[in-house]
């Protein structure tokens, strides 16, 4: 309902190269994405403020993303922030306005300067992000699953992912975040660890098919014990 057209820029695009192991390199040209502004947010404010969950990231102007997070939080809406593509000088308010702060290894290193090669590194990142004001941090670790740490549970928890043969990992993080938003909205009483485990399952299905959006499974194609 709130998608517009403009003659001032081309549609945002991403050129994706995938190697034989299914790992990817992505070049993003944001184009019209960067023209989304505060006025657009105001037009959508009713929907944002009545949502169960709002997901924000950095493929639009960061200030607009932050404004959306603030708008959602002010109305008691659960917020997930995925700092992708990551910025080294991220506004510190992103940490405090996100109920869940979810980043991958690369994003974690850009944000904190800590290279993430194992679980211990991910735990260090988690502690740094909690110190910056995050409430709950999830660091996604590809085939290794996720590391979760929160203000309420400061002892880091590793949530492993099932072993699969990856064909194309592009979009696995978005698949995970989308699934997590679904569980937060429809199964809010599930323990967070269980939501993450189920989201890992959805992401692991997505990496077994080529493409990004085309690799996302429909509900009917997923094990029914996920619902």
């Amino acid at each position: 309902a709130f998608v517009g057209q403009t003659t001032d820029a081309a549609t945002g695009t991403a050129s994706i190269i995938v190697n034989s192991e299914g790992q990817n390199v992505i070049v993003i040209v944001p184009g019209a994405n960067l023209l989304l502004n505060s006025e657009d947010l105001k037009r959508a404010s009713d929907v944002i403020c009545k949502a169960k969950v709002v997901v924000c990231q950095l493929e639009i102007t960061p200030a607009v993303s932050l404004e959306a997070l603030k708008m959602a939080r002010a109305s008691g809406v659960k917020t997930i922030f995925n700092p992708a593509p990551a910025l080294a000088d991220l506004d510190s308010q992103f940490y405090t306005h996100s109920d869940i702060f979810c980043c991958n290894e690369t994003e974690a290193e850009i944000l904190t300067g800590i290279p993430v090669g194992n679980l211990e590194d991910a735990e260090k990142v988690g502690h740094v992000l909690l110190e910056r004001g995050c409430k709950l941090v999830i660091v996604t670790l590809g085939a290794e699953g996720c590391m979760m740490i929160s203000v309420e549970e400061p002892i880091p928890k590793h949530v492993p992912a099932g072993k699969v043969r990856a064909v194309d990992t592009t979009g696995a993080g978005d698949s995970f975040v989308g699934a997590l938003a679904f569980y937060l909205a429809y199964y809010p009483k599930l323990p967070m660890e269980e939501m993450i485990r189920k989201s890992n399952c959805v992401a692991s299905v997505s990496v077994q098919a080529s493409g990004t959006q085309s690799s996302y499974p429909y509900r009917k194609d997923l094990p029914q014990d996920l619902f």
Side-chain angles (χ1 to χ4, degrees):
F2 297 98
V3 175
Q5 285 185 306
T6 179
T7 54
D8 297 333
T11 300
T13 58
S15 299
I16 305 166
I17 299 161
V18 182
N19 70 12
S20 57
E21 273 81 54
Q23 299 302 313
N24 61 71
V25 174
I26 306 174
V27 176
I28 293 173
V29 182
N33 286 24
L34 297 183
L35 299 183
L36 192 81
N37 60 29
S38 292
E39 291 307 309
D40 299 312
L41 271 192
K42 287 192 184 80
R43 276 195 289 278
S45 63
D46 270 8
V47 175
I48 292 169
C49 296
K50 287 177 187 157
K52 289 180 179 172
V53 180
V54 164
V55 180
C56 290
Q57 35 82 306
L58 296 172
E59 286 180 45
I60 60 172
T61 306
V64 179
S65 222
L66 183 57
E67 197 179 331
L69 281 176
K70 288 180 173 178
M71 194 183 273
R73 282 299 291 282
S75 296
V77 179
K78 276 257 184 247
T79 55
I80 302 177
F81 180 62
N82 177 217
L87 293 171
D89 58 345
L90 187 70
D91 188 318
S92 61
Q93 293 180 88
F94 277 106
Y95 302 114
T96 52
H97 284 83
S98 313
D99 288 312
I100 298 174
F101 192 96
C102 181
C103 56
N104 66 18
E105 307 106 301
T106 313
E107 293 149 7
E109 181 176 352
I110 291 168
L111 292 167
T112 65
I114 300 168
V116 179
N118 55 40
L119 274 175
E120 284 173 7
D121 297 338
E123 289 174 9
K124 282 182 206 155
V125 164
H127 284 297
V128 169
L129 294 176
L130 286 189
E131 282 165 19
R132 290 184 187 175
C134 291
K135 286 164 208 60
L136 191 156
V137 176
I138 299 169
V139 182
T140 58
L141 302 162
E144 297 305 314
C146 298
M147 193 284 306
M148 162 184 112
I149 185 168
S150 69
V151 172
E152 289 175 5
E153 292 188 41
I155 296 169
K157 225 172 216 169
H158 177 218
V159 187
K163 290 282 174 273
V164 297
R165 185 181 168 272
V167 173
D168 183 352
T169 58
T170 318
D174 292 334
S175 176
F176 175 87
V177 169
L180 186 61
F182 166 80
Y183 288 116
L184 278 168
Y186 290 95
Y187 298 93
K189 292 194 165 55
L190 270 184
M192 180 52 63
E193 191 177 344
E194 186 63 11
M195 288 190 197
I196 291 173
R197 190 190 68 75
K198 289 176 183 285
S199 301
N200 276 344
C201 290
V202 176
S204 66
V205 170
S206 82
V207 302
Q208 295 177 71
S210 293
T212 305
Q213 289 177 348
S214 57
S215 74
Y216 298 152
Y218 285 94
R219 182 173 180 146
K220 65 179 172 57
D221 301 322
L222 287 165
Q224 288 312 294
D225 62 358
L226 289 178
F227 304 100

